[in-house]
Amino acid sequence: MIRGSAAGIRTIRGAVLATIGLIGLAPAALAAGTGSETPLDRLIEKFNAGAPERPGVQIVGWVERGPDGQAVVVAVAPRGGARLVADPGITVTPTERPGVRWRGPLPERKVEPGADYLTPPATVRLPFTASDDRPVELKVEYAYCVVDFQCYLGEETLSVATGTR
C-alpha cells in the first residue's frame, strides 16, 4: 500500500500523464520537423553514409577520334570489391540503325584466356563511321563475381553520343 497525501498523488499522476503526452508527441515532432530540427530522412542518410559500396559494375562509353577514324570505347569497371570474369568476358553488340556503319567483327568480345578475372577497367573498342550526330546504342553483356562462388550475369543498354559534326 502506498501512503501519501492526495496532493502528492496528484503531482505524480500529473507527471506521468505529462510524460506519456510527450512520448506521444515525439513521432509527430520528428515527422513534422521545424527549422531547427534535422528531418528524419536526413538522419537516416547520415547513418548510412559510411556503408560500404555494394559490389557491382559501372559501365561508361565515349567516342575517340584517331588517325583511323572514330571508335566507340566501352569501359567496364568493377566496384565495391566485385571482379569481372575473364570468360565469358564482355560482349558489346551495337544496335543497328541507318547512318552508322560498324567496321570490324560484331559483336565485339573481350576475353582474357588463361585468367580468372579481367584486369579493370576492361575496355572494348568498336570502330565506326556515322553520317549524323545521333547517339549509338550498344548492348553490353558481362559477368562479375562478388566472391569466388557468387557470380552474376549482367546486361545493360548503353547510349553514347557520337558528336560526328
Side-chain angles (χ1 to χ4, degrees), residues 108-137:
E108 184 64 38
R109 187 168 176 219
K110 167 118 179 145
V111 179
E112 288 183 15
D116 290 331
Y117 300 101
L118 295 171
T119 305
T123 58
V124 177
R125 297 178 57 82
L126 290 104
F128 75 101
T129 56
S131 61
D132 57 36
D133 288 338
R134 293 186 352 218
V136 293
E137 284 193 355

PDB file of all heavy atoms in Angstrom, residues 108-137:
ATOM      1  N   GLU A 108      31.522  -7.472 -80.641  1.00  0.00           N
ATOM      2  CA  GLU A 108      32.917  -7.438 -80.196  1.00  0.00           C
ATOM      3  C   GLU A 108      32.993  -8.047 -78.805  1.00  0.00           C
ATOM      4  O   GLU A 108      32.190  -7.732 -77.943  1.00  0.00           O
ATOM      5  CB  GLU A 108      33.434  -6.002 -80.182  1.00  0.00           C
ATOM      6  CG  GLU A 108      34.890  -5.867 -79.821  1.00  0.00           C
ATOM      7  CD  GLU A 108      35.836  -6.525 -80.814  1.00  0.00           C
ATOM      8  OE1 GLU A 108      35.581  -6.464 -82.031  1.00  0.00           O
ATOM      9  OE2 GLU A 108      36.832  -7.113 -80.364  1.00  0.00           O
ATOM     10  N   ARG A 109      33.976  -8.916 -78.611  1.00  0.00           N
ATOM     11  CA  ARG A 109      34.073  -9.610 -77.322  1.00  0.00           C
ATOM     12  C   ARG A 109      35.473  -9.459 -76.737  1.00  0.00           C
ATOM     13  O   ARG A 109      36.464  -9.571 -77.450  1.00  0.00           O
ATOM     14  CB  ARG A 109      33.764 -11.091 -77.528  1.00  0.00           C
ATOM     15  CG  ARG A 109      33.680 -11.869 -76.255  1.00  0.00           C
ATOM     16  CD  ARG A 109      33.088 -13.232 -76.509  1.00  0.00           C
ATOM     17  NE  ARG A 109      33.119 -13.985 -75.255  1.00  0.00           N
ATOM     18  CZ  ARG A 109      33.391 -15.254 -75.180  1.00  0.00           C
ATOM     19  NH1 ARG A 109      33.642 -15.938 -76.279  1.00  0.00           N
ATOM     20  NH2 ARG A 109      33.397 -15.866 -74.022  1.00  0.00           N
ATOM     21  N   LYS A 110      35.536  -9.190 -75.436  1.00  0.00           N
ATOM     22  CA  LYS A 110      36.810  -9.075 -74.717  1.00  0.00           C
ATOM     23  C   LYS A 110      36.909 -10.256 -73.764  1.00  0.00           C
ATOM     24  O   LYS A 110      36.071 -10.434 -72.889  1.00  0.00           O
ATOM     25  CB  LYS A 110      36.865  -7.768 -73.926  1.00  0.00           C
ATOM     26  CG  LYS A 110      37.988  -7.709 -72.930  1.00  0.00           C
ATOM     27  CD  LYS A 110      38.922  -6.612 -73.261  1.00  0.00           C
ATOM     28  CE  LYS A 110      40.030  -6.540 -72.228  1.00  0.00           C
ATOM     29  NZ  LYS A 110      41.248  -6.164 -72.823  1.00  0.00           N
ATOM     30  N   VAL A 111      37.940 -11.078 -73.965  1.00  0.00           N
ATOM     31  CA  VAL A 111      38.188 -12.240 -73.127  1.00  0.00           C
ATOM     32  C   VAL A 111      39.686 -12.290 -72.864  1.00  0.00           C
ATOM     33  O   VAL A 111      40.483 -11.938 -73.731  1.00  0.00           O
ATOM     34  CB  VAL A 111      37.741 -13.543 -73.836  1.00  0.00           C
ATOM     35  CG1 VAL A 111      38.014 -14.766 -72.980  1.00  0.00           C
ATOM     36  CG2 VAL A 111      36.276 -13.492 -74.199  1.00  0.00           C
ATOM     37  N   GLU A 112      40.071 -12.696 -71.651  1.00  0.00           N
ATOM     38  CA  GLU A 112      41.489 -12.899 -71.346  1.00  0.00           C
ATOM     39  C   GLU A 112      41.703 -14.380 -71.057  1.00  0.00           C
ATOM     40  O   GLU A 112      41.450 -14.856 -69.949  1.00  0.00           O
ATOM     41  CB  GLU A 112      41.922 -12.035 -70.152  1.00  0.00           C
ATOM     42  CG  GLU A 112      42.008 -10.571 -70.499  1.00  0.00           C
ATOM     43  CD  GLU A 112      42.503  -9.711 -69.341  1.00  0.00           C
ATOM     44  OE1 GLU A 112      43.045 -10.244 -68.341  1.00  0.00           O
ATOM     45  OE2 GLU A 112      42.337  -8.490 -69.441  1.00  0.00           O
ATOM     46  N   PRO A 113      42.171 -15.143 -72.089  1.00  0.00           N
ATOM     47  CA  PRO A 113      42.373 -16.582 -71.894  1.00  0.00           C
ATOM     48  C   PRO A 113      43.436 -16.832 -70.817  1.00  0.00           C
ATOM     49  O   PRO A 113      44.407 -16.106 -70.695  1.00  0.00           O
ATOM     50  CB  PRO A 113      42.866 -17.073 -73.254  1.00  0.00           C
ATOM     51  CG  PRO A 113      42.658 -15.959 -74.205  1.00  0.00           C
ATOM     52  CD  PRO A 113      42.518 -14.705 -73.414  1.00  0.00           C
ATOM     53  N   GLY A 114      43.213 -17.880 -70.047  1.00  0.00           N
ATOM     54  CA  GLY A 114      44.175 -18.249 -69.017  1.00  0.00           C
ATOM     55  C   GLY A 114      44.065 -17.450 -67.733  1.00  0.00           C
ATOM     56  O   GLY A 114      44.787 -17.699 -66.779  1.00  0.00           O
ATOM     57  N   ALA A 115      43.182 -16.475 -67.696  1.00  0.00           N
ATOM     58  CA  ALA A 115      42.998 -15.674 -66.484  1.00  0.00           C
ATOM     59  C   ALA A 115      41.613 -15.946 -65.909  1.00  0.00           C
ATOM     60  O   ALA A 115      40.683 -16.286 -66.637  1.00  0.00           O
ATOM     61  CB  ALA A 115      43.141 -14.188 -66.804  1.00  0.00           C
ATOM     62  N   ASP A 116      41.500 -15.813 -64.601  1.00  0.00           N
ATOM     63  CA  ASP A 116      40.188 -15.976 -63.971  1.00  0.00           C
ATOM     64  C   ASP A 116      39.357 -14.700 -64.072  1.00  0.00           C
ATOM     65  O   ASP A 116      38.149 -14.742 -64.240  1.00  0.00           O
ATOM     66  CB  ASP A 116      40.348 -16.350 -62.495  1.00  0.00           C
ATOM     67  CG  ASP A 116      40.905 -17.762 -62.323  1.00  0.00           C
ATOM     68  OD1 ASP A 116      40.666 -18.612 -63.199  1.00  0.00           O
ATOM     69  OD2 ASP A 116      41.575 -17.998 -61.303  1.00  0.00           O
ATOM     70  N   TYR A 117      40.055 -13.534 -63.952  1.00  0.00           N
ATOM     71  CA  TYR A 117      39.352 -12.259 -63.937  1.00  0.00           C
ATOM     72  C   TYR A 117      40.029 -11.269 -64.874  1.00  0.00           C
ATOM     73  O   TYR A 117      41.239 -11.311 -65.072  1.00  0.00           O
ATOM     74  CB  TYR A 117      39.308 -11.690 -62.512  1.00  0.00           C
ATOM     75  CG  TYR A 117      38.608 -12.616 -61.551  1.00  0.00           C
ATOM     76  CD1 TYR A 117      39.327 -13.426 -60.688  1.00  0.00           C
ATOM     77  CD2 TYR A 117      37.223 -12.695 -61.543  1.00  0.00           C
ATOM     78  CE1 TYR A 117      38.678 -14.299 -59.829  1.00  0.00           C
ATOM     79  CE2 TYR A 117      36.565 -13.561 -60.690  1.00  0.00           C
ATOM     80  CZ  TYR A 117      37.296 -14.363 -59.838  1.00  0.00           C
ATOM     81  OH  TYR A 117      36.652 -15.231 -59.000  1.00  0.00           O
ATOM     82  N   LEU A 118      39.232 -10.343 -65.446  1.00  0.00           N
ATOM     83  CA  LEU A 118      39.756  -9.291 -66.313  1.00  0.00           C
ATOM     84  C   LEU A 118      40.453  -8.228 -65.479  1.00  0.00           C
ATOM     85  O   LEU A 118      40.055  -7.947 -64.344  1.00  0.00           O
ATOM     86  CB  LEU A 118      38.620  -8.635 -67.104  1.00  0.00           C
ATOM     87  CG  LEU A 118      37.890  -9.516 -68.115  1.00  0.00           C
ATOM     88  CD1 LEU A 118      36.664  -8.790 -68.643  1.00  0.00           C
ATOM     89  CD2 LEU A 118      38.801  -9.899 -69.260  1.00  0.00           C
ATOM     90  N   THR A 119      41.476  -7.624 -66.069  1.00  0.00           N
ATOM     91  CA  THR A 119      42.155  -6.511 -65.421  1.00  0.00           C
ATOM     92  C   THR A 119      41.303  -5.260 -65.607  1.00  0.00           C
ATOM     93  O   THR A 119      41.000  -4.878 -66.727  1.00  0.00           O
ATOM     94  CB  THR A 119      43.551  -6.291 -66.052  1.00  0.00           C
ATOM     95  OG1 THR A 119      44.266  -7.523 -65.981  1.00  0.00           O
ATOM     96  CG2 THR A 119      44.297  -5.202 -65.342  1.00  0.00           C
ATOM     97  N   PRO A 120      40.875  -4.627 -64.522  1.00  0.00           N
ATOM     98  CA  PRO A 120      39.996  -3.455 -64.666  1.00  0.00           C
ATOM     99  C   PRO A 120      40.767  -2.184 -64.956  1.00  0.00           C
ATOM    100  O   PRO A 120      41.927  -2.101 -64.584  1.00  0.00           O
ATOM    101  CB  PRO A 120      39.303  -3.370 -63.302  1.00  0.00           C
ATOM    102  CG  PRO A 120      40.218  -4.041 -62.344  1.00  0.00           C
ATOM    103  CD  PRO A 120      41.025  -5.038 -63.131  1.00  0.00           C
ATOM    104  N   PRO A 121      40.150  -1.196 -65.567  1.00  0.00           N
ATOM    105  CA  PRO A 121      38.864  -1.344 -66.244  1.00  0.00           C
ATOM    106  C   PRO A 121      39.071  -2.032 -67.581  1.00  0.00           C
ATOM    107  O   PRO A 121      40.035  -1.741 -68.292  1.00  0.00           O
ATOM    108  CB  PRO A 121      38.398   0.090 -66.418  1.00  0.00           C
ATOM    109  CG  PRO A 121      39.657   0.884 -66.536  1.00  0.00           C
ATOM    110  CD  PRO A 121      40.662   0.172 -65.659  1.00  0.00           C
ATOM    111  N   ALA A 122      38.185  -2.923 -67.920  1.00  0.00           N
ATOM    112  CA  ALA A 122      38.259  -3.625 -69.198  1.00  0.00           C
ATOM    113  C   ALA A 122      37.601  -2.748 -70.258  1.00  0.00           C
ATOM    114  O   ALA A 122      36.526  -2.213 -70.046  1.00  0.00           O
ATOM    115  CB  ALA A 122      37.545  -4.958 -69.090  1.00  0.00           C
ATOM    116  N   THR A 123      38.274  -2.580 -71.383  1.00  0.00           N
ATOM    117  CA  THR A 123      37.723  -1.723 -72.437  1.00  0.00           C
ATOM    118  C   THR A 123      37.548  -2.508 -73.730  1.00  0.00           C
ATOM    119  O   THR A 123      38.310  -3.420 -74.032  1.00  0.00           O
ATOM    120  CB  THR A 123      38.622  -0.498 -72.711  1.00  0.00           C
ATOM    121  OG1 THR A 123      39.919  -0.952 -73.081  1.00  0.00           O
ATOM    122  CG2 THR A 123      38.720   0.397 -71.496  1.00  0.00           C
ATOM    123  N   VAL A 124      36.512  -2.116 -74.456  1.00  0.00           N
ATOM    124  CA  VAL A 124      36.220  -2.685 -75.770  1.00  0.00           C
ATOM    125  C   VAL A 124      36.079  -1.517 -76.726  1.00  0.00           C
ATOM    126  O   VAL A 124      35.401  -0.536 -76.430  1.00  0.00           O
ATOM    127  CB  VAL A 124      34.913  -3.515 -75.738  1.00  0.00           C
ATOM    128  CG1 VAL A 124      34.577  -4.045 -77.117  1.00  0.00           C
ATOM    129  CG2 VAL A 124      35.022  -4.649 -74.724  1.00  0.00           C
ATOM    130  N   ARG A 125      36.757  -1.607 -77.889  1.00  0.00           N
ATOM    131  CA  ARG A 125      36.708  -0.547 -78.905  1.00  0.00           C
ATOM    132  C   ARG A 125      35.970  -1.056 -80.133  1.00  0.00           C
ATOM    133  O   ARG A 125      36.258  -2.138 -80.613  1.00  0.00           O
ATOM    134  CB  ARG A 125      38.120  -0.125 -79.310  1.00  0.00           C
ATOM    135  CG  ARG A 125      38.916   0.476 -78.175  1.00  0.00           C
ATOM    136  CD  ARG A 125      40.340   0.830 -78.626  1.00  0.00           C
ATOM    137  NE  ARG A 125      40.376   1.730 -79.758  1.00  0.00           N
ATOM    138  CZ  ARG A 125      40.240   3.056 -79.669  1.00  0.00           C
ATOM    139  NH1 ARG A 125      40.070   3.621 -78.507  1.00  0.00           N
ATOM    140  NH2 ARG A 125      40.281   3.806 -80.752  1.00  0.00           N
ATOM    141  N   LEU A 126      35.049  -0.225 -80.634  1.00  0.00           N
ATOM    142  CA  LEU A 126      34.303  -0.566 -81.844  1.00  0.00           C
ATOM    143  C   LEU A 126      34.423   0.578 -82.845  1.00  0.00           C
ATOM    144  O   LEU A 126      33.759   1.615 -82.687  1.00  0.00           O
ATOM    145  CB  LEU A 126      32.823  -0.797 -81.514  1.00  0.00           C
ATOM    146  CG  LEU A 126      32.539  -2.054 -80.720  1.00  0.00           C
ATOM    147  CD1 LEU A 126      32.262  -1.716 -79.283  1.00  0.00           C
ATOM    148  CD2 LEU A 126      31.375  -2.771 -81.337  1.00  0.00           C
ATOM    149  N   PRO A 127      35.257   0.429 -83.882  1.00  0.00           N
ATOM    150  CA  PRO A 127      35.380   1.477 -84.907  1.00  0.00           C
ATOM    151  C   PRO A 127      34.080   1.610 -85.708  1.00  0.00           C
ATOM    152  O   PRO A 127      33.398   0.627 -85.970  1.00  0.00           O
ATOM    153  CB  PRO A 127      36.509   0.977 -85.808  1.00  0.00           C
ATOM    154  CG  PRO A 127      37.151  -0.147 -85.072  1.00  0.00           C
ATOM    155  CD  PRO A 127      36.149  -0.685 -84.119  1.00  0.00           C
ATOM    156  N   PHE A 128      33.768   2.862 -86.089  1.00  0.00           N
ATOM    157  CA  PHE A 128      32.538   3.093 -86.840  1.00  0.00           C
ATOM    158  C   PHE A 128      32.658   4.372 -87.659  1.00  0.00           C
ATOM    159  O   PHE A 128      33.546   5.192 -87.457  1.00  0.00           O
ATOM    160  CB  PHE A 128      31.332   3.184 -85.893  1.00  0.00           C
ATOM    161  CG  PHE A 128      31.256   4.483 -85.132  1.00  0.00           C
ATOM    162  CD1 PHE A 128      30.380   5.488 -85.529  1.00  0.00           C
ATOM    163  CD2 PHE A 128      32.063   4.701 -84.026  1.00  0.00           C
ATOM    164  CE1 PHE A 128      30.313   6.681 -84.821  1.00  0.00           C
ATOM    165  CE2 PHE A 128      31.998   5.882 -83.317  1.00  0.00           C
ATOM    166  CZ  PHE A 128      31.120   6.883 -83.709  1.00  0.00           C
ATOM    167  N   THR A 129      31.720   4.520 -88.583  1.00  0.00           N
ATOM    168  CA  THR A 129      31.518   5.791 -89.285  1.00  0.00           C
ATOM    169  C   THR A 129      30.034   6.120 -89.163  1.00  0.00           C
ATOM    170  O   THR A 129      29.193   5.223 -89.148  1.00  0.00           O
ATOM    171  CB  THR A 129      31.906   5.700 -90.783  1.00  0.00           C
ATOM    172  OG1 THR A 129      31.170   4.654 -91.391  1.00  0.00           O
ATOM    173  CG2 THR A 129      33.400   5.456 -90.946  1.00  0.00           C
ATOM    174  N   ALA A 130      29.754   7.414 -89.047  1.00  0.00           N
ATOM    175  CA  ALA A 130      28.363   7.844 -88.907  1.00  0.00           C
ATOM    176  C   ALA A 130      28.116   9.051 -89.792  1.00  0.00           C
ATOM    177  O   ALA A 130      28.990   9.898 -89.963  1.00  0.00           O
ATOM    178  CB  ALA A 130      28.053   8.194 -87.456  1.00  0.00           C
ATOM    179  N   SER A 131      26.901   9.121 -90.335  1.00  0.00           N
ATOM    180  CA  SER A 131      26.537  10.240 -91.198  1.00  0.00           C
ATOM    181  C   SER A 131      25.718  11.285 -90.459  1.00  0.00           C
ATOM    182  O   SER A 131      25.285  12.257 -91.074  1.00  0.00           O
ATOM    183  CB  SER A 131      25.760   9.718 -92.408  1.00  0.00           C
ATOM    184  OG  SER A 131      24.577   9.092 -91.994  1.00  0.00           O
ATOM    185  N   ASP A 132      25.489  11.083 -89.162  1.00  0.00           N
ATOM    186  CA  ASP A 132      24.714  12.046 -88.374  1.00  0.00           C
ATOM    187  C   ASP A 132      25.264  12.098 -86.952  1.00  0.00           C
ATOM    188  O   ASP A 132      26.192  11.378 -86.604  1.00  0.00           O
ATOM    189  CB  ASP A 132      23.222  11.692 -88.378  1.00  0.00           C
ATOM    190  CG  ASP A 132      22.953  10.296 -87.851  1.00  0.00           C
ATOM    191  OD1 ASP A 132      23.647   9.846 -86.916  1.00  0.00           O
ATOM    192  OD2 ASP A 132      22.040   9.634 -88.379  1.00  0.00           O
ATOM    193  N   ASP A 133      24.682  12.978 -86.137  1.00  0.00           N
ATOM    194  CA  ASP A 133      25.150  13.170 -84.768  1.00  0.00           C
ATOM    195  C   ASP A 133      24.326  12.408 -83.724  1.00  0.00           C
ATOM    196  O   ASP A 133      24.542  12.584 -82.529  1.00  0.00           O
ATOM    197  CB  ASP A 133      25.086  14.665 -84.391  1.00  0.00           C
ATOM    198  CG  ASP A 133      26.157  15.466 -85.101  1.00  0.00           C
ATOM    199  OD1 ASP A 133      27.155  14.870 -85.523  1.00  0.00           O
ATOM    200  OD2 ASP A 133      25.986  16.690 -85.208  1.00  0.00           O
ATOM    201  N   ARG A 134      23.400  11.609 -84.161  1.00  0.00           N
ATOM    202  CA  ARG A 134      22.568  10.875 -83.201  1.00  0.00           C
ATOM    203  C   ARG A 134      23.412   9.871 -82.408  1.00  0.00           C
ATOM    204  O   ARG A 134      24.379   9.317 -82.916  1.00  0.00           O
ATOM    205  CB  ARG A 134      21.451  10.147 -83.931  1.00  0.00           C
ATOM    206  CG  ARG A 134      20.452  11.105 -84.552  1.00  0.00           C
ATOM    207  CD  ARG A 134      19.247  10.406 -85.158  1.00  0.00           C
ATOM    208  NE  ARG A 134      19.347   8.959 -85.207  1.00  0.00           N
ATOM    209  CZ  ARG A 134      18.899   8.212 -86.195  1.00  0.00           C
ATOM    210  NH1 ARG A 134      18.322   8.763 -87.242  1.00  0.00           N
ATOM    211  NH2 ARG A 134      19.011   6.911 -86.165  1.00  0.00           N
ATOM    212  N   PRO A 135      23.035   9.620 -81.168  1.00  0.00           N
ATOM    213  CA  PRO A 135      23.792   8.654 -80.366  1.00  0.00           C
ATOM    214  C   PRO A 135      23.648   7.229 -80.896  1.00  0.00           C
ATOM    215  O   PRO A 135      22.694   6.921 -81.623  1.00  0.00           O
ATOM    216  CB  PRO A 135      23.181   8.772 -78.967  1.00  0.00           C
ATOM    217  CG  PRO A 135      22.000   9.643 -79.074  1.00  0.00           C
ATOM    218  CD  PRO A 135      21.959  10.246 -80.431  1.00  0.00           C
ATOM    219  N   VAL A 136      24.593   6.395 -80.522  1.00  0.00           N
ATOM    220  CA  VAL A 136      24.520   4.976 -80.863  1.00  0.00           C
ATOM    221  C   VAL A 136      24.170   4.217 -79.582  1.00  0.00           C
ATOM    222  O   VAL A 136      24.508   4.643 -78.486  1.00  0.00           O
ATOM    223  CB  VAL A 136      25.841   4.449 -81.467  1.00  0.00           C
ATOM    224  CG1 VAL A 136      26.095   5.083 -82.810  1.00  0.00           C
ATOM    225  CG2 VAL A 136      27.011   4.665 -80.536  1.00  0.00           C
ATOM    226  N   GLU A 137      23.483   3.111 -79.750  1.00  0.00           N
ATOM    227  CA  GLU A 137      23.147   2.271 -78.609  1.00  0.00           C
ATOM    228  C   GLU A 137      23.876   0.947 -78.725  1.00  0.00           C
ATOM    229  O   GLU A 137      24.018   0.397 -79.818  1.00  0.00           O
ATOM    230  CB  GLU A 137      21.636   2.028 -78.536  1.00  0.00           C
ATOM    231  CG  GLU A 137      20.877   3.208 -78.020  1.00  0.00           C
ATOM    232  CD  GLU A 137      19.437   2.867 -77.650  1.00  0.00           C
ATOM    233  OE1 GLU A 137      18.984   1.726 -77.882  1.00  0.00           O
ATOM    234  OE2 GLU A 137      18.765   3.760 -77.119  1.00  0.00           O
TER     235      GLU A 137
END
